[in-house]
Amino acid sequence: MARRRRPPRAGAVNELPPLRILGQIAALQSIYYAAALVLMLFTSLVTGTPFGLDLVFGWAELRGDNTQGWLMGFVWLCCAGVVVVAIVALIGRSKLVLDFALSLHIIHLIIVTFYTGFLPRNVAWWATMLVSSVVTVAGGSYGCRWRELRPISFGGSGRSTGNAEGSAEAAAENGTAAGEHGDEEMGFSRGRGKGRGRDGAGEYEMVGLKSNENR
């Protein structure tokens, strides 16, 4: 007997078209490197250190024994914050955050390895990427859930309120007219006398209607 395949979990990546997945991954990767280039360039201008692509696609400069290495680690965490915003804006589904966040960092690891020709050897680089992954997953999941749980506004609240009030008034008038018509069918009409009306205003007395035979 053939084994039954497990159904895919709700919100999994395989629910999306492949081209859309590739497009979203490419967009996130581009935003990630664009933020890294801008922040690395700004940091180099402020600190007076030379700027190069090794700061973005290398791992040798990210060290834990000097201030420059710690500063670069902080820059990469800032890039993770930018990616969180991009995930909330582009993905918007909390169940897909883990897949896209891990794909982003795995692709970065592959690019760094091919660019330098070596697998990263600095512990600081691995620790920074690990913290960056955690920040991306946690921040993206929180942001997407906040976006998913936001109340949906359909607009036109004032008009809807006016329509509701008009409907209530029309229903009340119809109810009053129906009550009067029912009284007339029972052989009674409104007049002056003892008692109060249904609406609490005016007095009435029950008078029998004359039939055509008495006339």
Side-chain angles (χ1 to χ4, degrees), residues 41-120:
L41 178 60
F42 176 78
T43 303
S44 299
L45 294 176
V46 172
T47 58
T49 56
F51 173 77
L53 293 179
D54 292 341
L55 297 176
V56 179
F57 302 108
W59 50 265
E61 299 296 331
L62 187 52
R63 305 165 56 181
D65 57 352
N66 55 35
T67 306
Q68 184 66 21
W70 282 93
L71 182 60
M72 290 187 60
F74 176 75
V75 169
W76 281 115
L77 295 182
C78 292
C79 296
V82 175
V83 172
V84 167
V85 177
I87 288 177
V88 175
L90 298 179
I91 309 302
R93 299 175 64 179
S94 58
K95 295 182 180 180
L96 300 178
V97 173
L98 180 63
D99 300 322
F100 281 95
L102 295 182
S103 300
L104 175 74
H105 290 85
I106 291 175
I107 293 174
H108 178 60
L109 172 62
I110 295 173
I111 292 176
V112 169
T113 302
F114 275 97
Y115 181 81
T116 59
F118 298 97
L119 195 67

Side-chain angles (χ1 to χ4, degrees), residues 176 180 183 190 193-204:
T176 304
E180 294 177 355
D183 290 342
R190 292 181 181 272
K194 298 181 180 181
R196 305 291 296 178
R198 291 186 178 182
D199 55 356
E203 299 179 351
Y204 71 93

